[in-house]
Amino acid sequence: MRAPNPTVLVVGATGRFAGLVVPELVCRNASVRALVRDHPANVEKARKLGASEVATGDLRNRQSLESAVEGVDGVFHIGPAFAPDEAAMGIAMVEAASRAGVRKFVFSSVIQPTNTSLENHASKVPVEAALYSTNMEYTILHPVNFMQNIGAAWPSVVEHGIFSEPFPKTAKVARVDYRDVAELAAIALTEARLSYATLELCAGMHSREDIVSMMSEELGRPISAGEPTFGEWAANARLPYSDRQMHLLAKVHDHYAQFGLGGNSLTLHAALGREPRSLRSFIRELALQTAYVA
Ligand SMILES: NC(=O)c1ccc[n+]([C@@H]2O[C@H](COP(=O)([O-])OP(=O)(O)OC[C@H]3O[C@@H](n4cnc5c(N)ncnc54)[C@H](OP(=O)(O)O)[C@@H]3O)[C@@H](O)[C@H]2O)c1
């Protein structure tokens, strides 16, 4: 029988994305145990998000994972972006959960994990394969590019009137609001209806020309679409990535330049049972916040 108030271990609970899963779980009466690395600020942040317990651990330390999963009903896992050992870390989490008798496991993977020409996609495949060789009720999420990436660029859009990404402004890229992904993760961990599902999660496909047109309308002033080189873009984005991680990110953008990123909203719509959050509404929220602050 399903636990009425399951305890869920959330990997990356203080990060930009799993951090959105924590409140979704809490509002479904789950207790959250946050897995955090050993930074006092992370413990504080996890508690503020709603975690009732904090487990200090590291995906590279199997023993710490054994302790972290003790007594939990479910695990939410997301791998750190472009880590060279992302697959090994995911497998370690799956194995620790399976050994501990965890019932439910949600893996936030990526759209097209079998596009193995991109290392950040290929690294998800062994984690998915590991899940298929357990007796856990798994749900695998295949999200496209996160709208939250646009949120990160927003202050610069407002300041300079340009939205830049290092691929052609006509390339269509599929996007999803990670809040919808987080909602589905929480449903999967607290209900039965998404068990054993592998879900493509996309709200729609847009070019940067489409996006700046939405931005212009929502801000009431013209925003143009920049087409910087990867180097120019990276200098402004100031991501906390190593050279290797930046190289892998550049490959993702090269792929977008040649092929865009495909996605279909059918599964997201069906799984949510409502319209997905749209890119238009995401941009509207950003514009409203800007107007409120100004
Ligand atoms: N961005 C997109 O558009 C997009 C689209 C589809 C899929 N994805 C996938 O989504 C994931 C997002 O990753 P992100 O890194 O950008 O997310 P993030 O939300 O920035 O989170 C990374 C989290 O993982 C934690 N972490 C890192 N290394 C760890 C370790 N060794 N042990 C335990 N925790 C560790 C970090 O903790 P600390 O705070 O201690 O560093 C942080 O909380 C990637 O797998 C990416 O491929 C991204």
Side-chain angles (χ1 to χ4, degrees):
M1 210 168 83
R2 197 158 304 286
N5 303 106
T7 298
V8 177
L9 179 76
V10 177
V11 174
T14 51
R16 294 167 294 173
F17 307 116
L20 297 169
V21 177
V22 176
E24 288 290 341
L25 282 165
V26 172
C27 79
R28 286 173 176 76
N29 296 319
S31 297
V32 172
R33 182 182 296 171
L35 181 76
V36 302
R37 290 196 281 180
D38 198 9
H39 304 309
N42 277 349
V43 175
E44 180 67 19
K45 193 172 172 190
R47 292 216 181 267
K48 276 199 179 134
L49 285 168
S52 46
E53 298 173 56
V54 176
T56 302
D58 194 302
L59 291 164
R60 295 189 171 107
N61 177 338
R62 281 184 178 251
Q63 223 171 2
S64 72
L65 301 184
E66 307 284 342
S67 315
V69 288
E70 224 170 84
V72 304
D73 302 289
V75 169
F76 173 83
H77 176 76
I78 186 167
F82 304 113
D85 52 349
E86 189 190 330
M89 289 192 267
I91 292 169
M93 191 68 254
V94 169
E95 290 180 352
S98 175
R99 268 197 300 273
V102 170
R103 283 183 304 110
K104 282 179 159 283
F105 196 106
V106 171
F107 174 38
S108 186
S109 176
V110 71
I111 192 78
Q112 304 171 356
T114 47
N115 177 4
T116 53
S117 64
L118 298 176
E119 204 172 305
N120 55 313
H121 288 228
S123 59
K124 311 294 193 279
V125 174
V127 185
E128 297 190 7
L131 272 173
Y132 300 138
S133 296
T134 71
N135 290 307
M136 291 188 287
E137 277 173 48
Y138 58 81
T139 303
I140 299 175
L141 307 175
H142 283 176
V144 294
N145 194 279
F146 303 157
M147 291 181 196
Q148 279 68 19
N149 299 332
I150 297 175
W154 185 251
S156 163
V157 171
V158 172
E159 189 180 351
H160 304 292
I162 305 175
F163 176 46
S164 297
E165 291 173 312
F167 50 86
K169 60 187 176 190
T170 50
K172 285 198 183 285
V173 171
R175 317 254 179 182
V176 68
D177 188 326
Y178 202 83
R179 290 174 295 181
D180 281 347
V181 181
E183 186 175 327
L184 289 181
I187 291 170
L189 286 157
T190 55
E191 298 178 26
R193 71 179 172 90
L194 298 179
S195 296
Y196 306 111
T198 298
L199 304 170
E200 271 180 22
L201 302 178
C202 167
M205 290 172 69
H206 303 277
S207 70
R208 205 156 52 264
E209 283 179 338
D210 301 333
I211 296 174
V212 294
S213 149
M214 292 184 220
M215 289 173 166
S216 304
E217 283 165 20
E218 296 302 332
L219 281 169
R221 62 188 170 92
I223 302 295
S224 60
E227 288 186 311
T229 64
F230 183 79
E232 288 163 349
W233 175 83
N236 280 323
R238 291 200 221 110
L239 297 168
Y241 287 164
S242 65
D243 287 350
R244 181 183 176 282
Q245 287 174 305
M246 290 307 282
H247 172 69
L248 296 178
L249 181 59
K251 285 190 72 175
V252 171
H253 287 139
D254 281 349
H255 187 81
Y256 290 172
Q258 288 184 68
F259 309 109
L261 178 67
N264 183 301
S265 63
L266 190 70
T267 322
L268 177 58
H269 196 156
L272 288 168
R274 61 163 172 81
E275 286 283 341
R277 290 175 166 95
S278 67
L279 185 57
R280 163 73 73 172
S281 64
F282 186 83
I283 291 170
R284 182 165 299 153
E285 275 181 62
L286 291 172
L288 283 171
Q289 283 162 19
T290 306
Y292 184 72
V293 169

